[in-house]
Amino acid sequence: MAESQVAGGSIGHVLVTGGCGFLGHHIVRLLRLRDPESRISVLDLNTNRNILAAEGIKYYNGDISSRESIEGVFAKLEYGKVDVVIHTISPPFHLGKELQWSVNVEGTKNLLEVAKGAGVKAFVYTSSASVIMDNSMVLVNADERWPIMVDNDQPEYYSTTKVIQFQMETAYAEHAVLEANRNPEGFLTAAIRPAAIFGEGDVQLIPPMMHASRAGQSKVQIGDNTNLFDYTYVGNVAHAHLLAASALLRTRAMATAPLDNEKVDGEAFFITNDQPVYFWDFPRMLWKETGDVRTAKEIWVLSYSMAWFIGLLMETVMWILGKTPKLTRQQVLKSTMTRFFNIDKAKRRLKYRPVVSLDDGIRRAAKWWLEQEALEQQKKSQ
């Protein structure tokens, strides 16, 4: 499907939480491109960035960790009743456990309750492929039947808050969204689990890779690069969210409930580019597009054991100095593990196919980075 095609017709009035963020603003732009008749409201803590000045789009400041704030936004929406909520808000990894709990867990709970009370028809939640990761197991063709990893099984707090308890110890944030499906009956929900999102506006994946390249660190490789890994272009993730929203609305309009093998409501879906690549091939493709022409002969390969020891040493020294190490054992582990997913469920039930290839996605991300780099250089020279 071409990017400009409408997937399933107009989906009415859509509220995109985090619509000024990385993924959220791509969803807003794609929805406007595909469905010019839709009305879009954006709720974000900061609506001074990634603005799309177009008819049919309104922006509202709000804090989802406050139910009163969400209710205030719903009360003043210029386009009236919301048909679909696409919930993408999530704070960056490094901002602390309390904020992650407040936003990912309490904020999602608040939004669910307000959406149900406002008569929202469909609720699409941005989860994460990391919910099944324990940062030690190999993931080969992992699918939605794999168990969610939490508490002692899940050492990465960001991943835990995506699925940790809402009201009871066994209820998780993603689980809570899916459990809210058909409760009340007209309220349908689904969760999208993207893996390693990258693209224009990226703040977590592309920047550290590019900073490493500019610092001359692209000459170092950890491990033998035989571990496959899934990277996902942000436009494809946006595409999956819109497919899920359309599917939920179609389900709601059905006279009978869908068959189990067709069901979208109450379900989670892994989303990738369906093109797993060897881990180090991705950054090297990016670096090449941005002018780093280092050849394979110039690469210094560190074994896992050597890199792990260096990471331990740097963690220890930096801890003593009160600084952040540039290499950690966790980074070494992630650089050498095999992790890729099976997206057959999304293909069958959402009719999902990537609309942008991995190569094209990397070219777009590289072009965006070079433009940002040029702007920064221009500012410094003034």
Side-chain angles (χ1 to χ4, degrees):
M1 177 186 292
E3 283 186 279
S4 60
Q5 287 182 295
V6 175
S10 181
I11 57 178
H13 181 194
V14 184
L15 175 67
V16 182
T17 73
C20 295
F22 171 39
L23 171 60
H25 92 274
H26 279 274
I27 290 174
V28 171
R29 289 176 182 275
L30 187 60
L31 179 55
R32 171 49 66 238
L33 177 67
R34 288 186 174 174
D35 187 0
E37 300 303 315
S38 67
R39 293 155 295 155
I40 306 170
S41 296
V42 173
L43 187 164
D44 211 318
L45 192 63
N46 174 12
T47 57
N48 295 321
R49 59 199 172 109
N50 293 328
I51 301 297
L52 180 58
E55 181 148 356
I57 304 176
K58 298 292 183 182
Y59 290 83
Y60 302 87
N61 288 316
D63 179 2
I64 68 166
S65 65
S66 165
R67 178 164 177 164
E68 291 73 19
S69 179
I70 301 172
E71 289 173 335
V73 170
F74 268 77
K76 64 184 179 183
L77 293 174
E78 294 185 32
Y79 300 133
K81 184 177 178 180
V82 174
D83 297 299
V84 179
V85 169
I86 298 179
H87 177 31
T88 75
I89 291 178
S90 187
F93 300 170
H94 64 279
L95 292 184
K97 296 181 180 181
E98 289 186 7
L99 180 62
Q100 289 173 9
W101 175 275
S102 176
V103 175
N104 287 341
V105 178
E106 296 299 334
T108 301
K109 176 182 177 179
N110 292 336
L111 191 60
L112 274 172
E113 292 304 314
V114 174
K116 287 192 287 186
V120 169
K121 301 172 184 176
F123 190 107
V124 181
Y125 173 63
T126 308
S127 184
S128 169
S130 66
V131 297
I132 68 165
M133 298 178 185
D134 69 354
N135 290 324
S136 64
M137 71 166 64
V138 169
L139 300 179
V140 177
N141 268 324
D143 63 21
E144 292 81 2
R145 293 171 295 182
W146 288 50
I148 286 174
M149 308 299 292
V150 295
D151 300 329
N152 293 333
D153 294 325
Q154 178 54 270
E156 187 170 356
Y157 193 86
Y158 172 78
S159 299
T160 304
T161 59
K162 281 288 187 179
V163 291
I164 206 162
Q165 66 182 32
F166 254 29
Q167 299 173 342
M168 301 183 297
E169 292 181 359
T170 56
Y172 309 98
E174 178 193 281
H175 190 195
V177 171
L178 301 183
E179 283 292 298
N181 185 56
R182 297 184 181 270
N183 181 26
E185 182 59 31
F187 186 65
L188 304 186
T189 69
I192 300 298
R193 295 177 177 175
I197 310 176
F198 75 96
E200 304 94 322
D202 185 357
V203 295
Q204 294 184 350
L205 188 64
I206 298 299
M209 288 183 178
M210 286 308 306
H211 291 318
S213 172
R214 296 310 189 231
Q217 297 169 0
S218 59
K219 63 184 177 183
V220 179
Q221 173 183 304
I222 299 172
D224 58 8
N225 197 32
T226 58
N227 52 310
L228 286 170
F229 200 87
D230 265 321
Y231 297 90
T232 316
Y233 178 65
V234 64
N236 292 328
V237 181
H239 171 53
H241 280 75
L242 298 188
L243 289 177
S246 294
L248 292 178
L249 292 178
R250 287 196 301 272
T251 296
R252 195 173 186 275
M254 292 171 61
T256 59
L259 299 174
D260 286 347
N261 64 349
E262 299 174 340
K263 195 168 177 282
V264 172
D265 64 292
E267 299 290 329
F269 300 89
F270 283 115
I271 296 296
T272 72
N273 249 71
D274 206 22
Q275 291 178 268
V277 295
Y278 293 116
F279 183 87
W280 289 99
D281 287 4
F282 178 90
R284 300 211 183 285
M285 292 164 70
L286 175 68
W287 294 336
K288 182 178 179 181
E289 289 289 335
T290 53
D292 189 333
V293 294
R294 200 179 305 276
T295 65
K297 292 181 180 180
E298 299 174 89
I299 304 302
W300 180 29
V301 179
L302 280 177
S303 68
Y304 170 82
S305 57
M306 176 60 73
W308 190 93
F309 176 76
I310 294 173
L312 173 61
L313 185 62
M314 292 185 70
E315 287 178 43
T316 304
V317 172
M318 292 297 105
W319 178 78
I320 294 172
L321 297 175
K323 298 181 179 180
T324 302
K326 292 186 177 180
L327 180 67
T328 67
R329 289 169 291 172
Q330 187 69 9
Q331 291 171 328
V332 171
L333 183 62
K334 288 184 176 180
S335 298
T336 56
M337 291 184 63
T338 292
R339 285 186 172 172
F340 63 97
F341 301 86
N342 184 315
I343 62 168
D344 284 351
K345 182 179 176 183
K347 289 179 179 179
R348 291 193 309 269
R349 303 192 193 187
L350 298 181
K351 310 305 179 188
Y352 169 79
R353 297 292 187 281
V355 293
V356 177
S357 70
L358 191 66
D359 288 352
D360 194 13
I362 291 172
R363 282 191 289 269
R364 295 183 187 198
K367 181 175 181 292
W368 164 77
W369 176 267
L370 290 173
E371 290 171 351
Q372 299 305 305
E373 196 172 48
L375 286 174
E376 288 298 320
Q377 292 174 353
Q378 185 178 359
K379 289 179 182 178
K380 290 178 181 179
S381 65
Q382 290 176 346

